[in-house]
């Protein structure tokens, strides 16, 4: 067991400030560890009996349910959907294959499950006379016959004189619908994987009946497809015949209307109507070209004029740059400027040769400006020419367009009449061609499906799947058991391990006291088996008490518990007897006046005890009275002060100065004084006694004491500034402890012979 640091006693003068938590941090407990997979498996393992019991119970129920369910045989027929049809008049349709999509396959499955096909199968197989499919022919179960009120009440009470007799046709229809509903509930149509094959499964209690139902649905489905195709073909033939007669009349009327209009307006074939249209087309093309040329010339002229106005040299105009005359003048200007530069290096600015060179350059520049002005004038003339050509073409185009308007007004209606006649001719040709392909096709009609596998009578029943039901029942029971087990384990608010107490209270666990089994009492056990796990746990308790105080061993120790039934009195008595048998001077004081037990455990009287001692007024006679009240155990040498007969005065003195003086006077004669007090949540005097003693040990029963009770008791003791030594977990079940911990409560190895066979009684 891991022992934490010693608890430091607080000064009584310091006030206790309670935090919002349960208690102030007397002891820095380890933080609670997260629940891992091992903790979860440990929870399930300690509830394994419950889980297995629920699993077996659910499996047994599943077995009973599976045996009570009716047995059905399942027969399966398979139909291939999308078989190509034979089309004699269309060779491409004959060679092409039909590839139906998933939606079409699903639609065909719904057709198989239609009520029309089901009614056809009912009539074909006579299922309305089979009690299995006709619930009206089935005998009522015993429980329904017993609950039928018509057997016990007069007919006059149940019948209404105003009711009319049932219609025979409605009665027959109701019976047929009931049989159809029953039949469809036994039918299952599905697609096999991603294929185009429909699986038709029928359930029945008779295997032959199941096979006949599946085959009947497949045959009815294929027959229905062919019948619908023949019917559709007949309707198409009748429609095409009527349509041809109507179209012939419309074609004759349309042709006659065209000829009449041509004759009235002189629009015969071969007239010069197309010449005007051709001329307009050519003029339109020339007009577009002229408009483009006009735009280009105007754009160049506008650019040249804008450059001249802004002062930019005309050399930037493309026509100027591309002119050979301009280029020649440019070269002359460059040569003259070069000569001027050479002369300037040798002569002054007024030298005749310098003046002559400058005059030459000025003359060249003048000729350049004149040539550029000529080029810009040429651009202006070109723009006027392009505009004149465009205007001439525009006038010719408008004239031809006006001429064409008169011809178009007459030809518009003619073209409309010709189009209508052409449409009627084409439609008549198509309908007549389609009629030739359709006539006689009814003898070649085949269904789009094909029966590829008939349903044989099944050998073994297909429903119910008893093994699966039992397995699911057992699995479901185990899952339910796991949930109940986890809820039950998490709902346990008691303490099962020492670290739980340390994490919840902050107190160190001094010892884990195992529970004793058998008829031997704990007080006799510590004497007869001093080296047993129970005795070793008491020794650990003694060591923990010794180490709980730093300077010296505590003299007075109060054993407290939260609620009754914690095993505190047995712990105090056996602990004191063990220490006394080992040579320690131990005194037990029974402070529980409500339910004193120490005198019963040590088998002594309770006539004179603690109540009489704390009632003594004279301190000089207190020692003599204490000698009379102390009872010595003959087997171990343990001294005991029983509770005695308490009165109202002695109950008040139990928490007063007399009790404190008594402890002070007795502490010098004993190595350790153990006080057995009432539960904290029962007696208020325990809080006062906790302030008088050196240490307080909190007794907690394993798997019994609720955490809320321990927390409330601990808070009350903290409020009075009790000095805690730690907590003691009592009556620990060793086998049960292994279910909640990762090890054993006590480990044993080979003991000496004296320890095994000694008789200490």
């Amino acid at each position: 067991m891991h022992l934490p640091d010693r608890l430091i006693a607080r000064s009584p003068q310091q006030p206790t400030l309670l935090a919002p938590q349960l208690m102030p941090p007397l002891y820095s407990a380890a933080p609670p560890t997260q629940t891992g997979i091992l903790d979860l498996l440990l929870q399930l393992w300690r509830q394994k009996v419950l889980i297995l019991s629920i699993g077996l119970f659910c499996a047994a129920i599943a077995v009973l349910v599976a045996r009570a369910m009716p047995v059905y045989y399942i027969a399966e027929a398979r139909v291939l959907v999308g078989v190509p049809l034979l089309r004699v008049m269309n060779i491409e349709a004959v060679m092409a294959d039909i590839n139906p999509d998933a939606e079409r396959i699903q639609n065909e499955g719904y057709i198989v499950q239609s009520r029309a096909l089901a009614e056809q199968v009912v009539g074909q197989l006579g299922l309305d006379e089979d009690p299995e499919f006709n619930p009206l022919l089935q005998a009522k179960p015993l429980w329904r016959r017993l609950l039928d009120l018509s057997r016990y009440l007069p007919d006059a009470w149940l019948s209404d004189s105003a009711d009319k007799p049932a219609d025979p046709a409605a009665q027959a229809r109701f019976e047929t619908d009931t049989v159809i509903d029953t039949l469809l509930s036994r039918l299952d149509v599905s697609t096999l994987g991603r294929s185009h094959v429909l699986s038709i499964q029928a359930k029945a209690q008779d295997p032959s009946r199941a096979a006949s139902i599946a085959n009947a649905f497949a045959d009815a489905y294929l027959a229905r497809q062919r019948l619908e195709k023949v019917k559709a073909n007949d309707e198409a033939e009748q429609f095409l015949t009527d349509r041809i007669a109507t179209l012939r009349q419309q074609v004759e009327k349309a042709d006659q209307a065209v000829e009449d209009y041509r004759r009235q307006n002189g629009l015969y074939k071969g007239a010069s109507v197309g010449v005007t249209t051709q001329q307009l087309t050519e003029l339109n093309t020339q007009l577009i070209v002229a408009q483009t040329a006009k735009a280009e010339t105007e754009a160049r002229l506008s650019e040249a004029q804008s450059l001249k106005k802004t002062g930019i040299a005309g050399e930037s105009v493309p026509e100027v740059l591309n002119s050979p005359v301009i280029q020649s003048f440019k070269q002359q200007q460059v040569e003259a400027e070069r000569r001027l530069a050479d002369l300037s290096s040798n002569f002054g600015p007024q030298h005749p040769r310098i003046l002559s060179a400058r005059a030459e350059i000025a003359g060249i520049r003048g000729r350049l400006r004149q040539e550029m002005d000529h080029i810009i004038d040429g651009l202006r003339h070109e723009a006027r020419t392009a505009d004149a050509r465009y205007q001439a073409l525009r006038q010719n185009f408008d004239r031809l367009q006006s001429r064409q308007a008169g011809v178009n007004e007459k030809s518009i209606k003619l073209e409309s009449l010709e189009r209508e006649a052409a449409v009627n001719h084409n439609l008549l040709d198509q309908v007549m061609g389609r009629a030739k392909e359709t006539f006689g096709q009814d003898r070649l009609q085949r269904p789009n499906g094909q029966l590829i596998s008939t349903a044989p009578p099944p050998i073994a029943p297909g429903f119910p799947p008893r093994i699966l039901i039992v397995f699911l029942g057992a699995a479901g029971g185990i899952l339910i058991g796991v949930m109940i087990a986890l809820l039950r384990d998490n709902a346990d608010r008691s303490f099962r391990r020492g670290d739980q107490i340390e994490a919840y209270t902050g107190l160190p666990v001094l010892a884990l006291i195992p529970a004793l089994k058998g008829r031997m009492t704990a007080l006799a056990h510590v004497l007869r088996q001093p080296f047993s796990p129970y005795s070793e746990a008491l020794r650990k308790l003694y060591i923990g008490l010794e180490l709980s105080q730093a300077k010296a061993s505590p003299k007075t120790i109060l054993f407290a518990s939260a609620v009754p039934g914690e095993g505190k009195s047995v712990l105090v008595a056996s602990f004191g007897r063990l220490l006394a048998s080992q040579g320690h001077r131990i005194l037990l004081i029974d402070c529980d006046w409500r339910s004193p037990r120490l005198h019963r455990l040590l088998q002594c009287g309770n006539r004179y005890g603690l109540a009489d001692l704390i009632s003594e007024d004279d301190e000089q006679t207190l020692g003599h009275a204490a000698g009379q009240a102390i009872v010595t155990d003959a087997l171990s040498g343990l001294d005991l002060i029983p509770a005695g007969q308490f009165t109202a005065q002695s109950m008040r003195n139990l928490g007063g100065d007399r009790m404190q003086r008594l402890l002070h006077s007795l502490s010098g004669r004993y190595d350790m004084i153990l006080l057995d007090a009432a539960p904290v949540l029962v007696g208020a005097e325990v809080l006062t006694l906790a302030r008088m003693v050196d240490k307080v040990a909190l007794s907690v029963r394993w798997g019994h004491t609720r955490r809320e009770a321990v927390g409330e008791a601990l808070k009350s003791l903290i409020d009075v500034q009790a000095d805690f030594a730690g907590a003691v977990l009592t009556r620990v079940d060793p086998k049960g402890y292994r279910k909640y911990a990762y090890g054993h409560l006590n480990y044993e190895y080979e003991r000496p012979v004296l320890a095994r066979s000694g008789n200490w009684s």
Side-chain angles (χ1 to χ4, degrees):
M1 181 181 67
H2 174 70
L3 290 177
D5 297 337
R6 296 187 179 94
L7 298 177
I8 301 175
R10 295 172 297 179
S11 175
Q13 289 76 14
Q14 296 179 354
T16 303
L17 298 178
L18 291 179
Q21 295 82 5
L22 180 63
M23 57 167 292
L26 291 177
Y27 159 63
S28 180
T33 58
Q34 298 293 333
T35 302
I37 185 65
L38 293 179
D39 295 331
L40 180 61
L41 294 177
L42 186 62
Q43 285 181 323
L44 298 179
W45 176 252
R46 56 176 170 259
Q47 302 289 342
K48 58 182 179 297
V49 177
L50 175 64
I51 297 174
L52 293 178
S53 300
I54 297 177
L56 293 177
F57 177 74
C58 293
I61 294 179
V63 170
L64 296 178
V65 171
R67 292 179 63 88
M69 296 177 68
V71 178
Y72 292 100
Y73 292 86
I74 301 177
E76 180 187 21
R78 296 182 179 181
V79 176
L80 176 62
V81 178
V83 177
L85 300 179
L86 182 60
R87 298 182 184 272
V88 182
M89 303 302 294
N90 191 348
I91 188 61
E92 295 181 357
V94 173
M95 299 301 295
D97 193 7
I98 297 177
N99 187 17
D101 52 8
E103 288 77 9
R104 180 180 175 185
I105 302 299
Q106 189 175 9
N107 294 338
E108 297 300 323
Y110 292 147
I111 293 175
V112 176
Q113 301 177 78
S114 63
R115 298 184 68 85
L117 284 184
E119 185 174 2
Q120 183 178 346
V121 172
V122 168
Q124 179 182 348
L125 301 179
L127 298 180
D128 52 346
E129 299 178 359
D130 190 348
E132 181 182 353
F133 294 92
N134 192 352
L136 301 178
L137 300 179
Q138 297 176 1
K140 293 184 179 180
L142 178 60
W143 63 272
R144 292 187 61 182
R145 294 198 300 269
L146 294 176
L147 296 178
D148 190 2
L149 297 178
S150 61
R151 300 182 55 187
Y152 311 105
L153 298 178
D155 296 337
W157 293 9
L158 300 177
S159 63
D160 189 359
S161 58
D163 293 342
K164 297 181 180 180
D167 186 7
Q171 191 79 13
R173 184 71 253 177
F174 174 75
E175 182 177 356
T176 302
D177 291 339
T178 304
V179 176
I180 292 174
D181 293 338
T182 305
L183 177 59
L184 291 179
S185 65
R186 306 281 184 86
L187 185 69
D188 183 23
V189 180
S190 60
T191 306
L192 296 180
R194 302 180 63 181
S195 65
H196 300 158
V197 179
L198 287 179
S199 172
I200 304 175
Q201 294 182 351
K203 293 191 300 182
Q205 297 180 0
D206 184 12
S208 301
R209 176 67 78 180
S212 62
I213 292 175
N215 293 326
F217 268 99
D219 295 338
Y221 166 70
L222 297 177
R224 178 182 178 276
Q225 274 197 344
R226 185 184 183 283
L227 182 61
E228 289 182 352
K229 289 180 179 294
V230 172
K231 183 179 178 181
N233 189 79
D234 295 340
E235 293 177 354
E237 289 181 357
Q238 184 62 37
F239 171 76
L240 292 175
T241 302
D242 299 339
R243 186 60 175 164
I244 288 173
T246 304
L247 288 176
R248 282 176 178 174
Q249 297 177 1
Q250 293 178 357
V251 167
E252 293 177 358
K253 291 181 180 180
D255 292 341
Q256 187 64 39
V258 171
E259 294 299 329
D260 294 342
Y261 188 79
R262 285 181 181 275
R263 185 172 54 255
Q264 293 174 2
N265 296 278
L267 298 176
Y268 300 103
K269 296 182 180 179
S272 59
V273 178
V275 176
T276 305
T277 304
Q278 184 178 2
Q279 291 178 353
L280 282 174
T281 303
E282 293 178 357
L283 282 177
N284 186 37
T285 303
Q286 296 177 8
L287 184 63
I288 293 174
V289 174
Q291 186 178 8
T292 304
K294 175 187 176 184
E296 291 179 356
T297 55
E298 290 179 352
R300 287 184 295 174
L301 178 60
S302 176
E303 181 182 1
Q305 291 176 350
S306 63
L307 292 175
K308 187 175 181 180
K309 290 179 180 180
T310 54
I312 300 175
E315 293 86 344
S316 60
V317 180
E319 284 73 8
V320 176
L321 295 177
N322 297 329
S323 176
V325 178
I326 296 298
Q327 293 178 0
S328 176
F329 286 153
K330 285 286 186 179
Q331 293 178 359
Q332 295 177 9
Q333 181 181 359
V334 170
E335 183 66 24
E337 290 177 354
R338 184 185 61 78
R339 288 196 303 269
L340 177 62
D342 294 339
L343 293 175
S344 298
S345 60
N346 298 323
F347 302 100
Q350 300 298 326
H351 193 273
R353 297 182 64 178
I354 295 295
L355 295 176
S356 177
R358 289 178 178 174
E360 183 181 1
I361 292 173
I364 293 172
R365 289 178 177 176
R367 289 193 296 271
L368 279 173
R369 284 192 296 271
Q370 292 178 0
E371 185 63 26
M372 285 187 290
D373 291 339
H374 290 318
I375 292 174
I376 292 174
D377 292 338
L379 291 175
R380 189 179 294 108
H381 177 73
E382 184 179 355
R384 286 196 299 269
T385 303
D387 181 64
R389 185 173 181 274
Y390 171 75
Q391 295 298 333
L393 291 174
R394 183 68 184 177
Q395 292 177 1
N396 292 333
F397 183 80
D398 294 339
R399 179 174 53 80
L400 288 176
Q401 192 174 16
S402 300
R403 180 181 176 184
Q404 181 68 18
V407 177
N408 289 340
E409 290 178 358
K410 297 179 181 180
S411 62
I412 289 174
K413 187 175 181 180
L414 177 62
E415 292 177 357
S416 175
L417 294 175
E418 290 177 345
R419 283 195 300 270
E420 183 178 357
V423 169
N424 290 333
H425 278 284
N426 294 334
L427 184 58
L428 179 59
D429 294 339
Q430 293 178 3
V431 172
M432 292 181 67
R434 186 61 179 169
K436 292 179 181 179
E437 294 181 2
T438 305
F439 292 156
Q441 289 288 330
D442 53 347
R443 293 177 296 177
L444 301 176
Q445 292 297 335
R446 296 290 184 271
N448 287 335
Q450 180 182 354
L451 182 61
I452 62 175
S453 177
T454 59
I459 300 175
F463 184 85
R466 293 179 176 175
I467 297 178
L468 179 61
I469 292 176
V470 174
F471 173 76
L472 293 178
I478 290 176
L479 291 178
I480 294 174
V482 168
M483 291 188 293
I484 294 177
L486 293 178
L487 291 175
R488 179 182 177 184
D489 193 81
N490 293 329
D492 185 8
R493 300 296 298 167
S494 61
F495 295 98
R496 300 286 183 171
R497 298 194 309 268
D499 57 347
Q500 293 178 344
I501 299 180
E502 293 180 355
Y504 188 80
T505 64
L507 297 178
V509 177
L510 301 176
L512 304 178
I513 310 300
L516 295 177
K517 296 183 179 180
R519 303 180 63 180
M520 184 183 300
T521 62
L523 278 73
H525 181 86
V526 296
L527 296 180
R528 297 181 180 180
Q529 299 182 12
F531 297 101
S532 65
Y534 183 82
S535 301
E536 291 294 339
L538 294 179
R539 291 190 182 90
K540 292 180 182 179
L541 174 59
Y542 175 71
I543 295 174
L545 293 174
E546 289 284 330
L547 297 177
S548 63
Q549 190 163 301
K551 296 182 179 180
S553 300
K555 285 285 187 177
T556 56
I557 301 172
L558 174 67
F559 282 85
S561 64
V563 293
E566 303 291 292
K568 171 175 54 61
S569 299
V570 176
L571 172 65
V572 172
S574 58
F575 180 57
R577 176 174 273 191
L578 177 65
L579 295 181
S581 65
Q582 295 178 354
H584 296 279
R585 294 176 298 170
I586 305 299
L587 173 64
L588 304 184
I589 301 178
D590 194 348
C591 301
D592 189 1
W593 57 269
R594 294 175 178 83
S595 179
R597 292 196 59 195
L598 291 181
H599 69 281
R600 299 177 185 174
L601 296 175
L602 295 174
Q603 299 179 359
C604 61
N606 192 32
R607 187 179 61 85
Y608 190 80
L610 179 62
D612 302 289
L613 291 179
I614 59 179
S615 299
E616 292 289 342
D617 296 332
D618 190 1
E619 295 184 4
Q620 296 180 356
T621 62
L622 182 60
H624 178 70
Q628 294 180 353
I630 294 175
V631 180
T632 303
D633 181 25
L635 298 178
S636 61
L638 173 68
D639 290 343
L640 167 67
I641 298 179
Q645 304 299 322
F646 270 78
T647 61
Q649 180 64 31
S650 57
M651 285 187 291
R652 289 193 297 269
N653 295 335
L654 182 60
D657 295 338
R658 296 186 180 182
M659 182 64 187
Q660 191 170 5
R661 289 197 301 270
L662 176 63
L663 293 177
H664 180 72
S665 63
L666 295 175
S667 61
R669 299 169 51 184
Y670 293 95
D671 297 333
M672 188 174 292
I673 300 176
L674 308 179
L675 281 71
D676 181 17
V680 178
L681 301 182
V682 175
E685 69 278 0
V686 183
L687 304 178
T688 307
L689 293 174
R691 297 176 60 90
M692 302 179 184
V693 298
D694 296 335
K695 291 292 180 180
V696 176
L698 185 62
S699 175
V700 179
R701 182 176 174 179
W702 182 86
H704 180 268
T705 309
R706 295 184 61 83
R707 301 183 182 184
E708 292 79 9
V710 174
E712 187 176 354
L714 188 63
K715 180 178 180 300
S716 300
L717 292 173
I718 291 174
D719 289 340
V720 298
Q721 299 183 354
D723 191 359
F724 286 97
V728 183
L729 196 60
T730 62
R731 302 179 68 174
V732 181
D733 183 11
K735 293 183 178 180
Y737 181 81
R738 288 197 300 268
K739 297 179 181 179
Y740 292 87
Y742 296 103
H744 295 270
L745 178 62
N746 297 287
Y747 292 91
E748 300 185 55
Y749 57 97
E750 189 67 21
R751 299 175 180 173
V753 177
L754 179 62
R756 293 198 305 269
S757 60
N759 187 1
W760 299 84
S761 59

